[in-house]
Amino acid sequence: MNGLRIFLAGLLYALVLAMPAQADTLDNVLETGIVRCGATDGHKGFSEISEDGFWKGFDVDICRAVSAAIFGVANRVDFSEFPGPNRVAPLQSGAVDIMARSAYWTMSRDTKFDVQNVAVTYFDGQALMVPEALGVVSAIQLSDVTVCAVQDTLEQNRVERYFFEHQISYMESYYEAFEDLIVAYKAGLCNVVTAPASDLQAILDKELVASEHRILPERLSIDAWGPVVRNNDDRWQNVVRWTVFALINAEELGVNSRNIDTMVESKNPKVRRLLGLDGKFGAPLGIPDTWAQDIIRGVGNYGEIFNRNLGRDSGLSIARGKNELWTRGGLMYAPPVR
C-alpha cells in the first residue's frame, strides 16, 4: 500500500511538472511598466486612431483605467490593432494582456477559447435602421420591407423570429459579410438593415447622412460586451474586473474627475473605502490602495467615459439606455468595495 502511495505521489508530481506554467500577467505588467491592450481601429466612439495617431474611445479608456489602477497614471498603455470581431489568438499567444473588446459574452466563448470575459462595460443589442423617407419611428410600423442581414448568423435568426412574432411582412436579402450590408443598404437594395446597435451607429456616422436615417428604438436582443483576458490568471482578472467595478461605483457614489479632490474629505464610509482612505483594498489586488482614486483622476467615472465617447459630449449622442446605472433604471451595477 505504501509503495502504491509513493508511486501515485510520484506520478502526480510528474504530471504537475509536465503542465505548462501559467504566466502571471500582473507580474509581467509590473515588470515591463506597460499594459498591452488589443483594440480595433475605426469603431467610432469605441476605439479608433485619431489623425494625430492617438487612440481614443470608450473601450480604449477602459484599458487606460487599468493602467491608472496599476501605475497611478493612465498613459502606460501600448495599443495594438487587431481587426475582426473575434480577436482571441492575440490573448492566447500572449501578444496582449487585455483585449478591449472581442465578442459579446456567451458561455461557449468563456469555455472553448481559454479566455475570460471579466465584466460588462457595455450592453448592446440588435437593432434595425431605416431611411427617414420610410416614415416610421417604430419597428411595429414596418410592412412590406426588404431586410438586409448577414446570412447564417444570430442576427438573421432574431430578425426572422421578431418579424414572425409581430406579423410584419418582409423580404429577405442576406449577405456573407457585414461590410456587404453597408453597400447593399446604401445602394437601396434593402430599406431595413439589422446589426448590433453600436455597429449601426458607426455606419450612420461614417457612411450616411445622419439626418436621413433612423435607428429604431426596439432591440431584438441584449448582448453584453467587456474586456477579455486570458483564463486561469486570477490576479489579473481581479485587477481588470475591479477596475470596471470602481468606475461604476464611482458614478453611483457621485465621485468624478472634477470633484475627486473634494471627495477625499468625505465622511461617507462607502466613498472612503472606494478611495482607499479606510481599509486596505488595493493590497489583495497587488496594486496601491489608492487605485480607485488614480482611476478616477486618470479617466473619470463610468458616466464620464460614456458621455465623453458615446453620449452628449461626443457628437454621437447615444442614449445610456440599458447602460444607465441600476439606480436610474439601467443595468449597470457593481459590487461594493467592502
Side-chain angles (χ1 to χ4, degrees), residues 264-287:
V264 294
E265 303 297 330
S266 173
K267 304 301 182 184
N268 184 330
K270 294 180 180 179
V271 172
R272 294 186 63 80
R273 288 194 297 266
L274 175 67
L275 300 183
L277 304 171
D278 291 340
K280 299 291 182 182
F281 296 101
L285 296 174
I287 57 179

Side-chain angles (χ1 to χ4, degrees), residues 251-316:
E251 183 182 13
E252 184 177 338
L253 293 172
V255 185
N256 57 54
S257 61
R258 298 179 302 278
N259 67 13
I260 182 69
D261 290 331
T262 302
M263 294 300 282
V264 294
E265 303 297 330
S266 173
K267 304 301 182 184
N268 184 330
K270 294 180 180 179
V271 172
R272 294 186 63 80
R273 288 194 297 266
L274 175 67
L275 300 183
L277 304 171
D278 291 340
K280 299 291 182 182
F281 296 101
L285 296 174
I287 57 179
D289 288 328
T290 58
W291 58 282
Q293 274 195 56
D294 297 328
I295 291 171
I296 298 162
R297 293 183 195 278
V299 298
N301 63 31
Y302 180 87
E304 288 179 281
I305 292 175
F306 191 100
N307 288 331
R308 179 167 63 244
N309 295 293
L310 305 171
R312 59 177 181 266
D313 300 329
S314 69
L316 296 176

Side-chain angles (χ1 to χ4, degrees), residues 189-202:
L189 300 178
C190 54
N191 48 10
V192 178
V193 61
T194 186
S198 59
D199 289 338
L200 293 180
Q201 186 67 48

Side-chain angles (χ1 to χ4, degrees), residues 54-114:
F54 185 75
W55 278 90
K56 63 179 183 177
F58 178 88
D59 295 328
V60 167
D61 278 349
I62 300 300
C63 287
R64 291 202 169 98
V66 173
S67 168
I70 299 168
F71 301 114
V73 292
N75 61 359
R76 302 278 287 273
V77 187
D78 181 21
F79 290 98
S80 298
E81 181 184 355
F82 295 99
N86 297 302
R87 297 172 292 278
V88 171
L91 271 176
Q92 293 173 327
S93 68
V96 295
D97 305 313
I98 177 174
M99 194 62 72
R101 176 186 294 222
S102 179
Y104 58 84
W105 200 339
T106 65
M107 180 179 178
S108 60
R109 292 190 177 110
D110 264 3
T111 56
K112 289 171 58 177
F113 300 114
D114 201 31

Side-chain angles (χ1 to χ4, degrees), residues 105-312:
W105 200 339
T106 65
M107 180 179 178
S108 60
R109 292 190 177 110
D110 264 3
T111 56
K112 289 171 58 177
F113 300 114
D114 201 31
V115 296
Q116 181 73 56
N117 287 79
V118 292
V120 177
T121 55
Y122 189 83
F123 288 102
D124 205 352
Q126 185 176 340
L128 305 166
M129 183 165 66
V130 300
E132 285 285 5
L134 204 59
V136 301
V137 296
S138 170
I140 61 174
Q141 295 177 282
L142 295 173
S143 180
D144 297 324
V145 292
T146 301
V147 180
C148 282
V150 179
Q151 191 170 18
D152 299 325
T153 60
L154 279 174
E155 283 78 10
Q156 176 185 344
N157 295 337
R158 288 166 178 165
V159 78
E160 289 174 353
R161 183 173 65 249
Y162 184 87
F163 278 46
F164 173 77
E165 290 175 350
H166 291 82
Q167 294 297 293
I168 300 171
S169 58
Y170 74 104
M171 292 179 289
E172 306 166 345
S173 186
Y174 295 139
Y175 296 88
E176 292 185 355
F178 174 75
E179 290 73 17
D180 294 333
L181 300 184
I182 305 171
V183 175
Y185 182 73
K186 289 174 64 176
L189 300 178
C190 54
N191 48 10
V192 178
V193 61
T194 186
S198 59
D199 289 338
L200 293 180
Q201 186 67 48
I203 296 172
L204 188 63
D205 185 75
K206 292 171 57 178
E207 304 285 344
L208 304 168
V209 178
S211 61
E212 297 178 359
H213 303 269
R214 176 188 296 269
I215 298 174
L216 299 178
E218 291 81 6
R219 295 293 179 267
L220 281 60
S221 67
I222 182 167
D223 303 313
W225 298 79
V228 182
V229 300
R230 281 180 289 278
N231 209 353
N232 301 316
D233 198 350
D234 293 344
R235 289 209 306 160
W236 183 242
Q237 290 176 11
N238 277 333
V239 168
V240 177
R241 179 182 296 115
W242 279 96
T243 293
V244 174
F245 288 165
L247 293 168
I248 299 168
N249 274 319
E251 183 182 13
E252 184 177 338
L253 293 172
V255 185
N256 57 54
S257 61
R258 298 179 302 278
N259 67 13
I260 182 69
D261 290 331
T262 302
M263 294 300 282
V264 294
E265 303 297 330
S266 173
K267 304 301 182 184
N268 184 330
K270 294 180 180 179
V271 172
R272 294 186 63 80
R273 288 194 297 266
L274 175 67
L275 300 183
L277 304 171
D278 291 340
K280 299 291 182 182
F281 296 101
L285 296 174
I287 57 179
D289 288 328
T290 58
W291 58 282
Q293 274 195 56
D294 297 328
I295 291 171
I296 298 162
R297 293 183 195 278
V299 298
N301 63 31
Y302 180 87
E304 288 179 281
I305 292 175
F306 191 100
N307 288 331
R308 179 167 63 244
N309 295 293
L310 305 171
R312 59 177 181 266

